[in-house]
Amino acid sequence: MAGQKTRQWVLSNPPAGDPVLSGDNPTFSLETKTLDAPGADQVLLKVLYLSNDPAQRGWIDASADPARLYTAPVTKGDVMRAFGVAEVVESNAASLKKGQLVLATTGWSEYAVLAAKECRPIQPDDKVGIRPTHFIGALGGPGLTAYYGLVDVARTTASDTVVVSGAAGATGSMVVQIAKHIVGCKRVIGIAGGEKKCRWVESLGADVCVDYKSPSFKEDLCKATEGYVEVYFDNVGGEILSLMLQRMKRFGRISACGAVSTYNSLGSSGVQNWFEIIINRIEIKGFIVTDAIEAGKSGEMIQKIVASVKEGKIKIGADSETIVPTAFEDIPKTWCMLFSGGNQGKLVTEIKE
Amino acid sequence: MAGQKTRQWVLSNPPAGDPVLSGDNPTFSLETKTLDAPGADQVLLKVLYLSNDPAQRGWIDASADPARLYTAPVTKGDVMRAFGVAEVVESNAASLKKGQLVLATTGWSEYAVLAAKECRPIQPDDKVGIRPTHFIGALGGPGLTAYYGLVDVARTTASDTVVVSGAAGATGSMVVQIAKHIVGCKRVIGIAGGEKKCRWVESLGADVCVDYKSPSFKEDLCKATEGYVEVYFDNVGGEILSLMLQRMKRFGRISACGAVSTYNSLGSSGVQNWFEIIINRIEIKGFIVTDAIEAGKSGEMIQKIVASVKEGKIKIGADSETIVPTAFEDIPKTWCMLFSGGNQGKLVTEIKE
């Protein structure tokens, strides 16, 4: 049987600052390739949805030192790495039937050939509103990241007041809900960009959500954190982190999850107010969700989230995802919405036929 | 009995950047005052030595928010706060005899009247080389800070490689010695300014000490930390901290003790390479030595240091202190040596008659 023809987005110029989507030296290039036919225990996948994750920016950075990355970088000429939800269209593996939906590292490709063991079968459940895309969102990496960073890394308990930045993002919106509805935190404060997102974050359970785009942001944040806070879940780094160092209680804990505000910046201004860490004995811990998976904790964590979804406490409705129907040639453009705050909840690329 | 006349240095203009020692708006002003005679359970002290500590800069900062400081700030018009070694010259307290040496918060003053309970009697011991000034150095705050930050905060064990900045300072030189001679660390790397200091740090037990004033500093530090390190004891903050974030092993620990490189800077460039904290799961913990004291740990810690001094492992010879005989009117000038790297080991002001 002839191999499947597919289009693929390849990393052509690792970016130092903003990814470049046009011109002579674009970050990504569109190529067409004929895949090998699937071999023994392999499957041919058709990609339906792509996961857009801020972490992907780290994998392609021009200055990335492979020795320092937690995963191999994507190098020049590689297909851009991404998680995807895909359908098995051809199978040489007993464990995966044609038509099965799977989660896999498909990359930015229309089709992919992978070993069956690299594919995780998923079971959406219409009755409780669990859709295929939830496995790359609330019930996937972002949900797990939220649970692990909040409960394990920051050791958050019900008596804590928690602040989370990027609160309208895939991970942040789950942090808000897990803090409020699973941990039962005293007070949960979100930080997000724009009125609409802030009100949405409050609808998820945040006691208040502060708009970082507002001219009164600094004062609003001070007011929202009067009396200071025990836990800060940081998705953004940069200026908001510098401000939050001044809003931590003595012996407060910061879960350092991401720094999306800085991923595309060259010569950023760095983190200010370091002295607060010393005089207020702040603890900061960086983490990567794969640590939870390797420690065998992910199953239990996802079960707790699913239980809470079924009880109607954690909301994963349509407004918790921004699903962008995208022509294959526009995949990089949709991905870049991550860095302009274009999404509410999980940003998903739905590949248009 | 008439009160004792004394000169005192008073905080007249809390500094925002470098302390100003001359001109129309100096940071400190010299005043003369007559003290009240000591009352019941009080003593009159004559100050012999003053402790110079980077932390003092934090107590007087113009932008300090009293709600965020771990101790009350020194405010405009107050005598500049400092620890001192003093002699009891008049006593109304049964517990303290005339002639007794004590450790107390005397401030920058020739004489001070204090309650006996605010004075800690000290017992120098010539036979083992323990001098009065050691109680504000190796056997005082700096020694305790080193022990607590290294052993309790960073949980350093013998299998760890440790880097310490400010390694020729009062605290840093004790970190080097405690790491090597008490904890028994595999490898201890100092960072200090200048050839002479670096060789001295190596004489204390560091496997290597890297000179931050050398044009090849960055390369030298990379070479010294090949294979990366588990623990960084940070006394300086700023650029060296930013570099060290790239030299930490996965799950490495940073003890955030001080940031002397930034105390006098306005609009500093901030801490760079924050992303390393995330991708390499670095833990950072700020601490203040008073936490060890309040937790009742200081006695045991100092005993361990004293035992190691008596065994000849930890060296507290004359080269571990920079004792500067200082006319009373030059006290601020001697203090400022802290910020120009002027001292090797503990910087002590000896008040000249």
Side-chain angles (χ1 to χ4, degrees), chain A residues 53-330:
Chain A
D53 300 286
Q56 290 170 283
R57 179 63 185 79
W59 304 341
I60 63 171
D61 198 73
S63 67
D65 174 356
R68 304 293 288 162
L69 284 177
Y70 61 96
T71 184
V74 179
T75 53
K76 212 169 161 153
D78 289 350
V79 175
M80 177 59 186
R81 192 188 301 147
F83 300 112
V85 171
E87 184 184 342
V88 176
V89 290
E90 200 183 314
S91 176
N92 287 333
S95 59
L96 291 177
K97 302 269 168 273
K98 198 177 156 180
Q100 173 69 50
L101 290 181
V102 299
L103 186 66
T105 305
T106 60
W108 287 356
S109 201
E110 289 171 295
Y111 291 89
V113 171
L114 287 175
K117 64 178 179 192
E118 295 174 293
C119 304
R120 186 158 75 80
I122 57 172
Q123 309 296 349
D125 183 347
D126 267 350
K127 284 193 298 286
V128 287
I130 295 178
R131 296 183 298 280
T133 49
H134 285 136
F135 294 92
I136 49 175
L139 308 182
L144 199 53
T145 301
Y147 196 105
Y148 179 62
L150 189 72
V151 177
D152 274 48
V153 178
R155 307 182 302 282
T156 305
T157 65
S159 61
D160 292 328
T161 292
V162 174
V163 173
V164 54
S165 55
T171 298
S173 59
M174 289 301 289
V175 172
V176 166
Q177 300 195 79
I178 294 167
K180 203 68 193 181
H181 305 306
I182 298 185
V183 181
C185 290
K186 198 167 69 178
R187 188 170 155 80
V188 178
I189 299 150
I191 301 174
E195 264 299 296
K196 183 172 161 274
K197 283 187 185 175
C198 286
R199 297 302 79 79
W200 177 66
V201 169
E202 288 168 357
S203 80
L204 298 176
D207 295 276
V208 63
C209 185
V210 185
D211 180 3
Y212 73 78
K213 292 183 175 169
S214 161
S216 60
F217 169 59
K218 211 171 157 176
E219 296 78 50
D220 298 343
L221 182 65
C222 284
K223 204 181 146 205
T225 57
E226 215 186 330
Y228 307 110
V229 308
E230 281 88 0
V231 173
Y232 172 48
F233 192 109
D234 183 30
N235 285 309
V236 301
E239 275 179 55
I240 292 178
L241 169 61
S242 299
L243 280 178
M244 277 306 303
L245 287 175
Q246 299 182 311
R247 308 306 304 165
M248 300 303 295
K249 258 193 193 161
R250 193 158 290 178
F251 297 104
R253 288 104 62 202
I254 296 178
S255 230
C257 176
V260 71
S261 74
T262 67
Y263 292 170
N264 290 335
S265 6
L266 286 170
S268 95
S269 63
V271 177
Q272 305 291 332
N273 303 321
W274 185 267
F275 197 53
E276 290 282 347
I277 294 171
I278 303 170
I279 60 175
N280 284 303
R281 290 82 130 188
I282 297 169
E283 173 191 285
I284 295 161
K285 278 183 170 176
F287 74 99
I288 299 281
V289 69
T290 46
D291 299 335
I293 298 167
E294 280 163 22
K297 293 176 175 176
S298 57
E300 194 192 337
M301 290 178 176
I302 292 293
Q303 274 170 28
K304 284 193 180 155
I305 297 173
V306 169
S308 206
V309 166
K310 289 182 178 171
E311 288 174 45
K313 289 177 176 173
I314 286 187
K315 292 171 191 157
I316 57 168
D319 59 358
S320 74
E321 298 174 309
T322 300
I323 298 182
V324 185
T326 302
F328 197 82
E329 50 271 33
D330 289 331

Side-chain angles (χ1 to χ4, degrees), chain B residues 53-72:
Chain B
D53 299 286
Q56 290 170 283
R57 179 64 185 77
W59 305 340
I60 63 173
D61 198 74
S63 66
D65 173 357
R68 303 294 289 163
L69 283 177
Y70 61 96
T71 184

Side-chain angles (χ1 to χ4, degrees), chain B residues 91-102:
Chain B
S91 176
N92 288 333
S95 59
L96 291 176
K97 301 270 168 274
K98 196 178 157 181
Q100 173 70 51
L101 290 182
V102 299

